[in-house]
């Protein structure tokens, strides 16, 4: 039985499984576009051909070209490809990135949220719409007897209250647990936790993309979010003995991929928009890069990215 391609990348490069799956999908797409047939050889000999090199070079979209070259480099490294071939694709990758950064600061890029303030106002008010559905269907009365579908609505409400209370993170919500102060102190502190103190609650974030750069982060939980979490707490603890807030249809903690799908569902259902968590982050930062009292520097730290990221990717056009 053949090894799945992404496992070849995990084993050869020590890639994370989710990242390896993205690379594998890109490599399969390149093969199909170049050779007009599915990829069936996990040794990836096609990556060593001039045909693939020329194909990647000629990709017009800078982001696609960079992503394609990156995937090829990973594929070649995992299968012990020639160093010279790897160097050629690495050069394409680096040049594409350089060209893209120049494009971003050139003023030619179309910004998706010219009226980001209005979009952000819609985001932070959306929990009210979900609250009306919860009241109409008397979900609070059901308590721990809620079905997976009903729990998903409660999750949507809590998530939207979270966005209204704190700057949007990436997908750290998926691993967040409700714990007491004593439970937190006894934990290995490798996940993310809402620590419920006698009076003050905090969100302790230890697991996120740029933790190696910024270290663990702590956020005070504002009153409205604390009230929301406190209200759902009995149901959470009835469904998850470890206090995970966001649960799938089997009442198991969401993976990040599942949480990403959940976010899309929330905004499609309650706003009729095809928005992802990255979209929400973009809207938030774009709204700040207009005359407001909120500090972009402080926001960048709270969102777990560098200020350069905001300058290059999110700044709203005037």
């Amino acid at each position: 039985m053949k090894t799945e391609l992404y496992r070849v990348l995990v084993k050869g490069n020590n890639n994370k499984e989710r990242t390896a799956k993205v690379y594998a999908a890109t490599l399969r797409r390149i093969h199909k576009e170049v050779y007009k047939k599915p990829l069936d050889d996990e040794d990836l000999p096609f990556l060593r051909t001039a045909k693939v090199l020329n194909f990647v070079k000629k990709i017009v979209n800078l982001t696609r070209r960079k992503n394609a070259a990156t995937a090829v480099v990973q594929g070649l490294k995992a299968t012990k490809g020639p160093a010279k071939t790897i160097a050629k694709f690495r050069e394409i990758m680096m040049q594409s990135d350089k060209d893209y950064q120049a494009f971003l600061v050139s003023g030619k890029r179309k910004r998706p949220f010219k009226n980001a303030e209005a979009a952000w106002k819609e985001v932070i008010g959306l929990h009210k719409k979900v609250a009306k559905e919860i009241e109409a269907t008397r979900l609070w009365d059901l308590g721990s007897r809620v079905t997976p579908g009903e729990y998903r609505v409660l999750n949507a409400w809590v998530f939207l209250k979270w966005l209204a209370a704190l700057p949007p993170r990436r997908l750290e919500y998926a691993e967040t647990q409700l714990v007491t102060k004593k439970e937190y102190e006894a934990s290995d502190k490798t996940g993310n936790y809402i620590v419920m103190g006698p009076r003050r609650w905090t969100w302790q974030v230890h697991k996120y993309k740029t933790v190696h750069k910024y270290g663990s982060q702590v956020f005070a939980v504002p009153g409205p979010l604390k009230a929301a979490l406190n209200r759902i707490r009995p149901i959470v603890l009835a469904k998850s003995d470890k206090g995970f807030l966001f649960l799938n249809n089997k009442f198991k903690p969401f993976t990040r991929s599942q949480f990403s799908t959940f976010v899309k569902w929330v905004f499609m259902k309650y706003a009729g928009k095809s928005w992802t968590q990255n979209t929400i982050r973009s809207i938030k930062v774009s709204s700040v890069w207009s005359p407001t009292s909120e500090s972009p520097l402080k926001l960048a730290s709270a969102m777990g990215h560098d200020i350069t990221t905001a300058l290059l990717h999110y700044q709203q056009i005037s």
Side-chain angles (χ1 to χ4, degrees):
M1 183 177 177
K2 289 186 178 180
T3 305
E4 291 183 78
L5 179 54
Y6 80 90
R7 295 192 185 281
V8 173
L9 298 170
V10 170
K11 183 179 179 181
N13 299 334
N14 199 29
N15 292 136
K16 290 183 179 179
E17 188 172 297
R18 187 178 176 190
T19 303
K21 286 181 177 179
V22 174
Y23 291 144
T26 302
L27 294 175
R28 290 187 186 282
R29 184 166 58 249
I30 291 171
H31 186 276
K32 191 169 184 179
E33 289 187 32
V34 174
Y35 294 99
K36 312 302 179 187
K37 61 182 179 180
L39 174 63
D40 60 3
D41 188 342
E42 272 71 28
D43 290 331
L44 307 176
F46 80 101
L47 296 181
R48 298 161 172 79
T49 64
K51 197 170 185 179
V52 169
L53 180 65
N54 290 330
F55 172 80
V56 174
K57 275 183 179 179
K58 292 176 181 178
I59 295 174
V60 176
N61 183 281
L62 291 171
T63 304
R64 278 196 65 215
R65 190 194 308 157
K66 177 188 171 184
N67 291 344
T70 303
V72 172
V73 167
Q74 293 299 315
L76 287 167
K77 286 172 63 179
T79 55
K80 312 300 182 189
K84 286 185 178 180
T85 307
I86 293 174
K88 289 177 182 178
F89 281 101
R90 194 184 297 278
E91 176 60 28
I92 295 172
M93 179 180 74
M94 299 301 290
Q95 188 59 49
S96 297
D97 185 62
K98 185 178 178 180
D99 291 345
Y100 184 62
Q101 300 304 322
F103 171 62
L104 286 173
V105 298
S106 69
K108 296 178 182 178
R109 185 185 184 209
K110 292 181 179 179
R111 302 293 177 177
F113 298 105
K114 292 185 179 180
N115 195 358
E117 294 93 333
W120 183 245
K121 186 176 180 181
E122 180 180 4
V123 170
I124 63 175
L126 211 53
H127 65 86
K128 297 174 185 176
K129 188 173 183 179
V130 188
K132 289 179 181 178
E133 179 181 344
I134 292 171
E135 294 300 328
T137 51
R138 304 179 67 86
L139 294 190
W140 295 121
D141 294 342
L142 293 175
S144 62
R145 293 177 288 115
V146 293
T147 65
E150 291 164 338
Y151 189 81
R152 175 172 281 232
V153 175
L154 296 176
N155 266 177
W157 177 71
V158 169
F159 172 61
L160 290 168
K161 291 283 284 188
W162 213 311
L163 292 180
L166 290 169
R169 303 285 301 193
R170 290 183 179 87
L171 300 172
E172 291 90 315
Y173 312 88
E175 296 101 357
T176 299
Q177 300 168 254
L178 276 175
V179 296
T180 63
K181 193 171 183 179
K182 185 177 180 180
E183 288 170 332
Y184 175 70
E185 293 302 329
S187 74
D188 58 10
K189 299 177 181 60
T190 57
N192 301 321
Y193 312 86
I194 290 290
V195 182
M196 302 178 290
R199 296 184 65 183
R200 184 172 180 263
W201 288 21
T202 57
W203 187 20
Q204 305 274 349
V205 184
H206 301 279
K207 187 176 181 181
Y208 67 101
K209 184 178 179 180
T210 50
V211 67
H212 63 283
K213 184 171 185 178
Y214 298 106
S216 299
Q217 294 185 307
V218 183
F219 303 95
V221 176
L225 177 57
K226 178 182 175 182
L229 292 168
N230 208 17
R231 187 159 196 190
I232 199 174
R233 175 169 58 161
I235 303 175
V236 170
L237 297 178
K239 298 298 185 182
S240 171
D241 57 357
K242 293 185 178 180
F244 284 98
L245 278 154
F246 296 99
L247 306 174
N248 63 25
N249 287 337
K250 294 182 179 179
F251 290 117
K252 300 295 183 183
F254 275 130
T255 63
R256 290 201 170 197
S257 178
Q258 289 173 332
F259 188 80
S260 182
T261 300
F262 162 74
V263 172
K264 292 178 187 176
W265 172 83
V266 169
F267 287 103
M268 182 54 69
K269 179 176 173 63
Y270 296 105
K273 305 282 176 57
S274 241
W275 287 350
T276 64
Q277 189 64 6
N278 279 341
T279 309
I280 301 309
R281 286 164 60 81
S282 178
I283 292 171
K284 174 59 178 174
V285 180
S286 294
S287 73
V288 171
W289 288 97
S290 293
T292 80
S293 59
E294 193 163 0
S295 165
L297 284 168
K298 188 180 292 185
L299 179 64
S301 175
M303 289 177 66
H305 64 229
D306 190 89
I307 190 66
T308 306
T309 301
L311 282 165
L312 290 177
H313 297 276
Y314 298 126
Q315 185 176 1
Q316 180 181 337
I317 55 175
S318 57

